[in-house]
């Protein structure tokens, strides 16, 4: 594969080249990894940055409809929009969110949009590391906004927040009791809570739910990276396309403030540090995953299990095998 | 240090030698680790095994009083009893449970008892790995029962269950609503739930609480390592020393059944496999913790943070530095 040529095509905004490059960074083959690292290094020199928006919400809150409506609005303003997914469930089921592009029928037909389903890797950590690189590829391809969707139970939100400049939590209208269903940790990650389905008979419930969450957010400690009145809760209707422009205006205001204060840059720097550490730790532990190392691990684990060796001695032998000591 | 001599003194039941050996396995010095590994390997050949009992309970349920009464009963039966602690809070506060031996005044004066507070290491993983080795030392020193105490929030219970042959959960009498306070995961780990303080005015509450938990336990899926009617809930009074003999009889019955079925041996083998894997992973990641490696990590993390390198390229340089590639 000619990495220089692939890089040039990505920089020119070629979506097929982008798709091919994402497949490259998702590959586990060692030679692909070498190519991927070279490509990313080359593209990073262009210094292009998109606004990275993390988006979380449980199934049924209308995430796909929101992304479709919100994405179409941004495209209508002349912006280029990429949509990626981090899906903890796909690791188990082999399925993936965004698997069905028809859920975003209009957006997927836009030349200024790019939609990529979640890779089905064996664990969340692997998915996340490669998604971070897919985000970098989208930035190099000139996208203005990269939406990173997740449906999660806490851990995937943490990962997505480490990939994002701002984090949206999409909720459905609900009675007061159901407020408790959102984990405090996820609420604390959110920069903006959007209560969707503020239309038709659900509109008054949505308004009440939004007020409830606004109240709950006021109880959280103010974060240094937030201006006054953030994090905040808003109502939207993805179906009727109400409130989307207001939500986008709030996002832009937040980003402008953070950029002016330096928080935006600090966050990106901290994220780069974090992912560097993750890459190093992952690569060290990956030495245990070769077929030969697995066989040796299994042999020594059995020796420890039957009592021929203590776990400590067996570990020492494994490290000697890996030539680490 | 003469490891052969230290080993012989431990095998003869010398408590001061045991205490010294536990300090040795808790040390982070590389030469101490070599000595510790050799000592453990030497002692393992003796093939001595104690009954390892994990014990969890939130502060205030009377864990110290229970260990004192239960331990005194066992000592009274001619058994030798060691008490160790895994304390996730000590990592943060620097304090430790069991720090005050006077909380177990009678037991600490018994020649057939040994009490060791929790080591204050930087993280739970480190504490757990060394506690596992302290348990092995107590076994070699001829103790019949090793009690491993923890006060936890889930994670430390998981660790202690990986160290134990059976797991006790000590609870205080409480109203029905408070039943929810015990995390499902911890309840699923318990082989026997003991509702303490079944004495004086709290006795009827304790009886009711015990019945509530017995009902909750019946709703859990039966585990293959359990005979009929396990896991079970019992009332005890550590202060009045009621119910302790009955609880001990249940523990022994459970252990006998598991030994007869092979579950006991399978569990020990699985634990040895688990700890072997933990030791290997820890040792690999420990390569990042030398002063030189930390400095290099920091230099490269900064390069990634300011954008001189992508995280992937920086990680590759770190691996080259560690001579891992």
């Amino acid at each position: 594969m000619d990495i220089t040529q692939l890089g040039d095509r990505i920089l020119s905004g070629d979506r097929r080249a982008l798709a091919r490059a994402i497949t490259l960074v998702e590959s586990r083959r060692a030679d692909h990894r070498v190519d991927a690292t070279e490509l990313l290094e080359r593209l990073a020199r262009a210094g292009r940055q998109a606004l990275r928006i993390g988006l979380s919400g449980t199934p049924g809150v209308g995430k796909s409809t929101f992304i479709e409506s919100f994405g179409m609005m941004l495209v209508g303003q002349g912006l280029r929009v990429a949509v990626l997914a981090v899906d903890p469930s796909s690791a188990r089921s082999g399925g993936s969110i965004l698997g069905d592009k028809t859920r975003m029928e209009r957006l997927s037909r836009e030349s200024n949009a790019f939609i990529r389903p979640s890779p089905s890797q064996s664990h969340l950590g692997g998915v996340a590391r490669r998604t971070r690189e897919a985000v970098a590829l989208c930035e190099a391809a000139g996208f203005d906004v990269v939406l990173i969707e997740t449906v999660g139970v806490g851990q995937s939100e943490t990962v997505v927040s480490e990939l994002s400049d701002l984090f949206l939590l999409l909720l459905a209208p609900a009675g007061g009791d159901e407020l408790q269903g959102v984990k405090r940790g996820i609420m604390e990650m959110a920069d903006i809570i959007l209560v969707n389905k503020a239309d038709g008979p659900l509109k008054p419930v949505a308004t009440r739910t939004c007020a409830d969450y606004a109240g709950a957010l006021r109880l959280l400690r103010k974060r240094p990276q937030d201006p006054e009145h953030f994090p905040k809760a808003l109502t939207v209707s993805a179906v009727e396309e109400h409130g989307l422009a207001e939500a986008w205006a709030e996002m832009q205001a937040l980003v402008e403030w953070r950029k002016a204060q330096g928080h935006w840059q600090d966050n990106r720097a901290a994220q780069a540090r974090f992912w560097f550490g993750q890459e190093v730790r992952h690569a060290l532990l990956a030495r245990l995953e070769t077929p030969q190392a697995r066989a040796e691990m299994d042999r020594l684990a059995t020796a420890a299990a039957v009592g021929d060796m203590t776990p400590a001695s067996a570990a020492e032998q494994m490290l000697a095998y890996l030539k680490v000591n």
Side-chain angles (χ1 to χ4, degrees), chain A residues 95-312:
Chain A
S96 75
I97 49 177
L98 288 176
D100 190 359
K101 281 195 189 179
T102 57
R103 291 192 298 136
M104 297 176 198
E105 211 180 332
R106 284 185 298 152
L107 194 61
S108 64
R109 275 192 265 107
E110 285 289 331
S111 63
N112 280 330
F114 176 83
I115 299 176
R116 177 82 178 196
S118 176
S120 44
Q121 282 215 350
S122 60
H123 59 95
L124 181 58
V127 173
R129 280 166 43 250
R130 299 296 83 94
T131 300
R132 178 184 62 77
E133 295 180 343
V135 170
L137 292 171
C138 292
E139 290 187 308
F143 285 92
D144 302 292
V145 175
V146 181
L147 276 165
I148 308 141
E149 175 190 3
T150 191
V151 47
V153 284
Q155 216 196 334
S156 70
E157 274 80 5
T158 308
V159 160
V160 169
S161 80
E162 286 288 352
L163 293 169
S164 308
D165 300 315
L166 59 85
F167 193 85
L168 307 181
L169 177 59
L170 198 68
L171 297 171
D177 283 356
E178 291 166 66
L179 188 74
Q180 308 300 324
V182 179
K183 291 197 175 144
R184 189 184 161 90
I186 295 177
M187 249 186 69
E188 283 175 350
M189 260 175 244
D191 295 308
I192 299 175
I193 287 178
L194 298 173
V195 180
N196 193 21
K197 304 188 183 180
D199 45 52
L202 281 175
K203 194 167 182 178
V205 190
T207 305
R208 227 166 29 239
T209 305
C210 183
D212 287 347
Y213 278 102
L217 287 173
R218 273 192 296 274
L219 297 177
L220 297 179
R221 195 159 48 90
K222 190 177 171 305
R223 304 174 300 183
Q225 69 271 33
D226 285 339
E228 284 300 320
H229 309 306
F230 276 92
K232 62 173 64 178
L234 306 166
T235 56
V236 292
S237 164
V239 170
E240 296 188 352
E241 302 182 5
H242 281 158
L244 299 176
E246 291 77 2
W248 176 232
E250 295 287 359
M251 293 178 219
Q252 287 176 296
L254 180 58
V255 167
E256 285 316 311
W257 188 87
R258 284 186 183 164
K259 282 188 173 169
Q261 302 288 320
H263 293 307
W264 197 88
Q265 299 83 331
D266 290 350
N267 183 46
R268 286 251 169 150
Q271 288 179 347
R273 280 184 175 274
F274 172 83
W275 289 108
F276 159 69
Q278 293 287 95
E279 289 284 346
V280 172
R281 283 186 289 275
H282 173 82
L284 277 175
L285 295 177
R287 300 195 66 198
L288 302 175
E289 302 300 330
T290 64
Q292 299 89 332
R294 277 174 189 269
E296 190 65 10
M297 280 291 279
D298 195 53
R299 190 183 72 77
L300 289 165
T302 302
V306 300
D308 284 349
M309 268 188 267
T310 63

Side-chain angles (χ1 to χ4, degrees), chain A residues 23-76:
Chain A
T23 303
L24 178 68
V25 301
E26 285 173 0
S27 167
R28 291 162 169 235
R29 269 176 50 183
D31 56 331
H32 287 172
R33 189 91 288 265
V34 171
D35 283 347
T37 303
E38 188 194 328
L39 177 66
L40 290 162
E41 189 66 37
R42 179 178 295 272
L43 293 173
R45 285 182 217 131
R48 291 184 182 165
Q49 290 183 322
L51 174 60
R52 306 173 178 177
I53 304 177
L55 172 69
S56 176
T58 46
V61 301
K63 274 200 306 302
S64 301
T65 315
F66 173 79
I67 293 173
E68 166 106 326
S69 298
F70 185 65
M72 286 302 291
M73 181 191 75
L74 297 179
V75 166

